[in-house]
Amino acid sequence: MVARVTLEIALGKSLDYNVPHELADQVRVGTRVQVPLGRRKVFGVVTELADRSEYPNLKPVLRVVSTPSLLTVGLLRLARWMSEYYCCPIEVCLRTVLPVAVRREQPGWRQQLFVRAVPVAGELPRLSKRQLEILHIVEERRELPLTELLKLAGTTTATVRRLEDKGLVVVTPQVTERDPYAHELILPTHPLELNPAQARALEAIKAALHGTSAAPGTSGGSGPNALLTSSRQDAGSTLKSPVFLLHGVTGSGKTEVYLQAIAHALELGKGAIVLVPEISLTPQTVERFKARFCHGPNRTLVAVLHSHLSAGERHDEWHKIRQGRARIVIGARSAIFAPVHPLGLIIVDEEHEQTYKQEEAPRYHARDVAIVRGQLEGAVVVLGSATPSLESYYNARRGKYTLLELPERVDGRKMPFVRVIDMREAARKAKGVPIFSGQLREAITRRLERGEQVILFLNRRGYSTALECPLCGYVAKCVNCSIALTYHRREQILLCHICGHTGPVPLVCPNEKCRSPRIRYAGLGTERVEETLAKMFPFARIGRMDSDVMKRKEDYRRLLADFRAGKLDVLVGTQMIAKGLHFPNVTLVGIIYADLALHQPDFRAAERTFQLLTQVAGRAGRGDVEGEVLVQAFTPYHPAIQYARRHDFNGFYEQEIEFRRQLRYPPFTRVALLTLKGRNSDKVKLTADYLKRALEKMRDTGAQDAVGANTNSTQPLVKVEEDAQTAPAETPAEAQDSTQRDLSDLIIAGPAPAPVLRAKTYYRYQIVLRTRRMTELSRRLAKLTETFQLPEDVTLTIDIDPVDLL
C-alpha cells in the first residue's frame, strides 16, 4: 500500500511513501504520520491511499502519530477546496484545519492524582485521629482528586501516602479534562413557545434536516417580500444542500429558532456547529446553549472553540468533539473546522460580520467555508442576521438560498425609536465639537434617574486619535506606518493601532523649530468618552469594553455578568457591544459619531455603517420598557443613516444593490485583492506595474482559449455589457463544480498605493481584480504566482473575496 502524504512544511506538493506491513491496519486517509525527508524526520497527513506509485524505491512511513485519524474525509476535502479557491498551499490549509494543540507530537492530556478508597476485610489497622478523618472523607466521596482532598482535610501528601502504605487507599494518575466553564453555575432552561414566524422558520429547517426541500408557504412578512421564500431549486440554484438565510429584526428570537433546530438535529443523531463573530459574544451564547443542552448526563454535550482558550483547553475540547462526546460546537471562525461527525446543521450567527474573514493565509471567509462544508457533508446551513450582507440577501432573492423572515420582535415588543442628531448644529451652539449633544446628555440623565441602563457606542479606542501642534502643524506619526499615533491616557503612551509601536507623550512640540507647550490632543476614543462621562455623572457606575481593557479571557465574562446583574449603569464600548448581546434593562443606546467609517475608500462603507447602526440600535428596548436610540452624526441625511433610523433594510438594499449593479461590484462580480509589499517604494511600484501587464496577458490569453473552446457550444460567452451587469457572480459553493474557463469579463484596477500606504515598515501597492468567475481566476492566479518573478525583497499576497480594501 502506498500513502500519499502532504507534509507540514512548505513543499507545495504531496510525496509517496510505502506503508510497512505492520502499519497497514493503522494508516487511513486523514492519519497523521512521521516520514523521512532527506536526513530529516517530518510530520504530515495522509491525503490519499493507492495500490502503486509511479515512483520506484519509495521510503517507508516511519510511524503513525495519531490513531484514530485526526482528519475526517469531509474536512480533508474542505482543505483541498480552500487551497484551490483561496490560492493557498494545501499544507497551510491543513495546519488551519488541525489546531496546533492537536498537532503536538506528545499527547496533550493533563494527568492528575486521584485518591480512591480500598475495601478492607476485617478490622482497620491502628490509625491516628487525623488519618481516620482523611479516610472517612475518601470513603464518603469514593474517589476525589488528591489536591481537593488535601484542601478539605487540611493535610499533607505524606499523610495520604501513609494510608496508601497501609492498603486503605490507592493513589493513581488519571486523565482529567480542562473545562473552561467547569466552575460556572448554569441553570437549565426549556424550549419557549414560538410565534408564527418563528414556527414557520423552524419547520422549514426541520424539513431540510429530514432531507426534503420543503419551504414554508410564507415568510412571515407582508407585501412582495413575503413571497420571496422559495425552494432551492428555483432560479437555477446549483446548491446540493439547503442554505437558509434567517433575516430577523433585532430581538426577533433567532437564537430560540437555532436552539430548537439543533435539538431536532440531535434527535436525528446529527451534530451542529454554531459560529459567532466576536469572542465577546461567546460567553453569553455558551451560557444559553449549555443551559438548554448541558444538564444531567449531557454535561459534555456542548464544546467551545475560540482563540482565548489555553492550548490545553483547546486540545481537550477538540478531542471531546472528535470522540463524539460533544455534539454541539460553539466558537469563532475556526470552529467551522470542528471534527463533528455526522454533521447535520451549521449556524452562522450575524453572518454579515467581517470578523469571519481570516487576515492571514489561508484568507478564508468562515461563512463561505460553512456553506461549502454543508455541500460537501450534506449539512443544512442557516445564515442569521438582522442586517444580512448584500451578497447573501441577493442570493436569497434569486432563490439560491431560502429566505426566512422574522419581521417582528418577540412578545410584541416595539422596535426602539431612533433620533438622528445633527452634530454640525450642536457644534455651532457649543462653539466646538462636543462629545455629548444636549439631547444625549438629557436622555442619559433620565435613564440613570429611573434606574435603567445605557449603552454608549464609539468604534474607536484610545483617548485621542492624534497629537498635534496648532502653531507649526506637527502631528505625531508612527515611524513604521503612514498613520498618526493614538494617545492612550491611562498608560501615558502614544500607540500605533497597526504595528503596535509606542512612544512617549511629549510635554512640548517635538518640532525643534517650534517647541511650543500648546501641543494638544485631537479626536476622541472610548477612553475619553468614559472619562468625560464619569465627570458628568460622578455617581454612575461605568464600564468600558474594548480591546484595551479586555486582555484576559475572563474579562469578557466578568464585565458582561456585572452589566447583566445591574452592577453597572453605563457600558461604553466599540463594536464588541454592537451585536448579539441581550440586556432587557437597557433602554437607551447612544451612538457618539455614527459616520466614522462612512467615508472610507471602500465600496462597502455605506453597508457597514448601516449594519453597525442597526445592530447597535437593536440593543435597546429588549425588556418591558420601549427603547430609544440617539444617533450623533455630521452627515445626518446620508441614506445609510436614514434607512437605519427607519429600520428599513429592504429600502437600503434596493438603493445599494443598484449602485453595485452599475459599478459591477459584488454580488455582480467577485473581488480579488493583490497586494505587493516591500521596504523600497519605487521597487514595489515597478513590480506592481509588471504584475499588471502579466494579468492583462493572462486575461487576453484566457479569452482566446475560451472562444476556441466554445466554438461548437450553444452557450454564448458573456460579451454584452448589460448581461454582465445583471448576471450574478458564482458563489464559492457553486465554484466547486465550475467548469467555466472564460475570463473576458475580468476588470483590472490599479496598481495604486494602498489607502494606508506604509504599514509595519512595508510600502504597499494594490491591484483589485473583479470577475464573475472567481474559480477560474483563482486557478490562473495560482499558475501565475509560480512563474512570476518577484524581486527578493518584495512579496505578493492574494486575498480572494476581501472584506476590507484598506
Side-chain angles (χ1 to χ4, degrees):
M1 187 164 62
V2 174
R4 199 145 289 145
V5 179
T6 298
L7 305 182
E8 293 179 1
I9 60 174
L11 202 60
K13 61 181 179 179
S14 299
L15 299 179
D16 289 356
Y17 288 90
N18 180 47
V19 180
H21 179 71
E22 62 271 17
L23 297 180
D25 293 336
Q26 301 178 47
V27 175
R28 298 285 185 270
V29 172
T31 302
R32 195 157 174 264
V33 294
Q34 187 179 47
V35 294
L37 182 67
R39 297 182 178 180
R40 292 185 293 167
K41 297 176 182 178
V42 297
F43 295 102
V45 175
V46 177
T47 54
E48 191 178 341
L49 293 174
D51 295 329
R52 61 181 62 86
S53 172
E54 59 183 286
Y55 304 104
N57 305 319
L58 297 181
K59 293 183 178 181
V61 172
L62 299 177
R63 64 188 180 95
V64 173
V65 179
S66 61
T67 53
S69 299
L70 295 179
L71 274 179
T72 63
V73 174
L75 284 174
L76 188 56
R77 292 172 65 194
L78 186 66
R80 285 175 176 157
W81 175 84
M82 288 170 57
S83 173
E84 295 174 3
Y85 186 76
Y86 291 108
C87 294
C88 184
I90 181 64
E91 60 269 14
V92 177
C93 296
L94 288 174
R95 286 200 298 268
T96 301
V97 172
L98 277 179
V100 177
V102 178
R103 284 189 275 116
R104 285 178 177 168
E105 183 177 0
Q106 298 297 326
W109 298 106
R110 180 180 67 178
Q111 288 197 333
Q112 189 175 3
L113 292 175
F114 275 73
V115 183
R116 177 171 50 86
V118 176
V120 179
E123 294 184 3
L124 288 174
R126 186 175 180 180
L127 299 174
S128 67
K129 183 180 178 180
R130 169 62 71 187
Q131 290 174 330
L132 201 57
E133 289 174 352
I134 296 170
L135 182 59
H136 286 161
I137 294 174
V138 177
E139 288 178 334
E140 183 182 341
R141 299 284 294 272
R142 297 187 181 180
E143 186 178 53
L144 74 165
L146 176 60
T147 53
E148 188 176 341
L149 175 61
L150 298 180
K151 187 176 180 181
L152 285 172
T155 187
T156 62
T157 305
T159 306
V160 179
R161 289 294 186 183
R162 280 195 285 272
L163 286 174
E164 185 181 30
D165 294 339
K166 294 181 179 184
L168 300 175
V169 300
V170 175
V171 181
T172 55
Q174 294 183 22
V175 170
T176 59
E177 290 185 345
R178 289 151 288 204
D179 183 356
Y181 294 87
H183 302 295
E184 293 287 320
L185 178 61
I186 299 176
L187 299 176
T189 63
H190 301 283
L192 304 176
E193 184 178 349
L194 302 180
N195 63 32
Q198 288 175 303
R200 284 191 290 268
L202 178 62
E203 286 306 313
I205 298 170
K206 288 168 70 173
L209 285 168
H210 279 283
T212 69
S213 59
T218 62
S219 64
S222 59
N225 292 321
L227 304 176
L228 292 174
T229 305
S230 61
S231 65
R232 67 185 188 278
Q233 285 83 5
D234 294 342
S237 173
T238 60
L239 300 183
K240 301 167 188 172
S241 295
V243 178
F244 294 96
L245 177 61
L246 182 59
H247 177 211
V249 298
T250 56
S252 59
K254 293 186 289 294
T255 304
E256 185 62 29
V257 175
Y258 300 157
L259 289 165
Q260 296 193 28
I262 291 172
H264 191 72
L266 295 178
E267 291 173 4
L268 298 176
K270 299 176 181 179
I273 295 174
V274 182
L275 300 184
V276 293
E278 294 273 358
I279 295 174
S280 61
L281 290 183
T282 308
Q284 194 174 54
T285 307
V286 170
E287 182 179 319
R288 295 186 69 175
F289 277 76
K290 280 185 174 286
R292 184 65 57 89
F293 297 109
C294 292
H295 35 81
N298 299 323
R299 191 175 58 83
T300 63
L301 200 60
V302 175
V304 182
L305 292 176
H306 57 73
S307 60
H308 275 213
L309 296 180
S310 67
E313 289 171 339
R314 179 176 281 267
H315 171 276
D316 292 358
E317 294 289 285
W318 194 93
H319 279 283
K320 191 162 65 175
I321 302 162
R322 187 70 179 96
Q323 293 165 4
R325 292 184 292 121
R327 307 297 300 135
I328 304 168
V329 180
I330 301 171
R333 59 175 175 261
S334 61
I336 190 57
F337 306 116
V340 178
H341 185 76
L343 180 61
L345 182 62
I346 304 174
I347 293 170
V348 185
D349 193 26
E350 311 292 358
E351 64 86 26
H352 64 279
E353 278 296 322
Q354 67 183 67
T355 50
Y356 281 126
K357 178 73 172 177
Q358 172 86 354
E359 294 180 355
E360 305 297 330
R363 294 173 173 82
Y364 68 91
H365 196 299
R367 178 198 61 211
D368 296 338
V369 173
I371 294 172
V372 172
R373 185 173 180 185
Q375 304 306 303
L376 292 173
E377 300 191 29
V380 176
V381 179
V382 178
L383 312 178
S385 178
T387 53
S389 65
L390 262 67
E391 291 88 342
S392 293
Y393 198 71
Y394 179 78
N395 286 330
R397 293 279 289 260
R398 291 185 63 87
K400 289 183 180 180
Y401 304 161
T402 299
L403 181 63
L404 306 172
E405 301 235 49
L406 304 178
E408 297 176 352
R409 285 188 160 185
V410 294
D411 298 330
R413 295 186 181 119
K414 296 181 179 179
M415 294 297 290
F417 177 74
V418 182
R419 284 194 295 161
V420 179
I421 299 168
D422 189 342
M423 291 302 287
R424 298 169 299 179
E425 184 66 28
R428 281 193 290 268
K429 291 180 179 178
K431 297 182 180 179
V433 180
I435 298 177
F436 299 100
S437 61
Q439 298 97 313
L440 181 55
R441 190 166 57 248
E442 292 171 7
I444 295 173
T445 303
R446 288 196 301 270
R447 266 43 181 212
L448 294 178
E449 289 173 350
R450 296 203 297 251
E452 296 167 0
Q453 291 177 301
V454 178
I455 287 179
L456 296 177
F457 170 79
L458 176 65
N459 204 22
R460 180 184 283 164
R461 59 193 176 97
Y463 187 88
S464 295
T465 52
L467 182 145
E468 58 186 31
C469 177
L471 294 184
C472 70
Y474 169 86
V475 176
K477 292 187 176 181
C478 177
V479 296
N480 302 320
C481 313
S482 53
I483 65 167
L485 294 171
T486 301
Y487 173 49
H488 288 253
R489 186 161 186 167
R490 180 177 296 178
E491 294 86 358
Q492 280 298 305
I493 58 170
L494 295 173
L495 174 66
C496 175
H497 287 175
I498 291 182
C499 72
H501 168 77
T502 60
V505 179
L507 299 176
V508 298
C509 176
N511 185 350
E512 293 293 339
K513 296 181 180 179
C514 179
R515 308 300 290 177
S516 169
R518 294 173 58 189
I519 193 164
R520 62 186 179 88
Y521 303 101
L524 76 155
T526 50
E527 188 180 5
R528 187 175 175 188
V529 172
E530 180 188 29
E531 181 190 87
T532 306
L533 195 65
K535 292 177 180 177
M536 291 171 55
F537 304 100
F539 300 107
R541 298 164 297 176
I542 303 168
R544 176 159 60 97
M545 194 171 191
D546 57 34
S547 57
D548 291 333
V549 292
M550 297 289 106
K551 300 290 187 183
R552 297 169 299 183
K553 60 182 178 182
E554 297 298 326
D555 291 340
Y556 297 94
R557 207 180 310 174
R558 175 189 51 77
L559 185 62
L560 294 176
D562 287 348
F563 194 62
R564 186 186 301 111
K567 296 179 181 179
L568 297 173
D569 300 311
V570 184
L571 182 61
V572 179
T574 57
Q575 63 182 5
M576 288 182 178
I577 64 172
K579 77 283 290 187
L581 300 177
H582 179 78
F583 300 112
N585 198 38
V586 172
T587 59
L588 174 67
V589 169
I591 301 174
I592 306 299
Y593 290 160
D595 37 16
L596 273 182
L598 191 54
H599 308 295
Q600 290 181 344
D602 192 318
F603 70 91
R604 288 192 177 95
E607 180 185 8
R608 284 205 197 102
T609 299
F610 172 83
Q611 290 168 342
L612 204 52
L613 296 184
T614 304
Q615 292 287 343
V616 177
R619 300 316 105 203
R622 287 172 168 253
D624 297 330
V625 180
E626 185 177 354
E628 183 181 13
V629 181
L630 297 186
V631 179
Q632 299 184 160
F634 291 93
T635 51
Y637 299 108
H638 191 281
I641 295 176
Q642 287 298 316
Y643 282 120
R645 180 181 70 84
R646 297 193 294 267
H647 309 286
D648 185 3
F649 174 82
N650 286 323
F652 175 78
Y653 169 83
E654 294 296 346
Q655 175 175 291
E656 188 68 16
I657 203 70
E658 186 57 37
F659 293 155
R660 302 278 183 93
R661 179 183 286 109
Q662 292 175 6
L663 299 175
R664 296 185 66 185
Y665 277 112
F668 301 99
T669 57
R670 301 196 80 88
V671 174
L673 177 64
L674 278 55
T675 304
L676 291 139
K677 297 192 296 184
R679 288 194 166 93
N680 185 308
S681 178
D682 293 336
K683 186 181 289 188
V684 175
K685 184 179 184 305
L686 184 63
T687 306
D689 291 334
Y690 276 109
L691 178 58
K692 180 179 182 178
R693 293 175 201 165
L695 291 168
E696 291 172 338
K697 182 178 179 182
M698 176 191 76
R699 175 188 60 190
D700 298 339
T701 303
Q704 293 170 5
D705 292 345
V707 170
N710 283 270
T711 301
N712 301 318
S713 173
T714 59
Q715 298 291 330
L717 293 174
V718 179
K719 291 289 187 183
V720 184
E721 185 174 350
E722 289 77 12
D723 293 341
Q725 286 182 344
T726 56
E730 64 182 9
T731 65
E734 293 172 317
Q736 299 177 83
D737 305 317
S738 175
T739 57
Q740 288 286 343
R741 295 291 182 267
D742 177 29
L743 272 185
S744 60
D745 70 332
L746 180 64
I747 300 172
I748 304 174
V756 180
L757 173 60
R758 191 164 177 256
K760 299 180 181 179
T761 73
Y762 291 96
Y763 291 94
R764 308 183 306 152
Y765 278 78
Q766 296 177 339
I767 298 176
V768 179
L769 308 178
R770 283 178 282 158
T771 180
R772 292 173 53 243
R773 304 294 177 192
M774 182 54 72
T775 309
E776 180 60 21
L777 179 59
S778 296
R779 293 191 188 110
R780 303 277 186 89
L781 289 175
K783 291 181 180 178
L784 180 64
T785 55
E786 293 175 2
T787 58
F788 187 78
Q789 296 293 319
L790 288 168
E792 188 175 334
D793 52 350
V794 176
T795 60
L796 169 65
T797 60
I798 299 174
D799 190 357
I800 305 296
D801 298 329
V803 297
D804 192 342
L805 300 181
L806 300 181

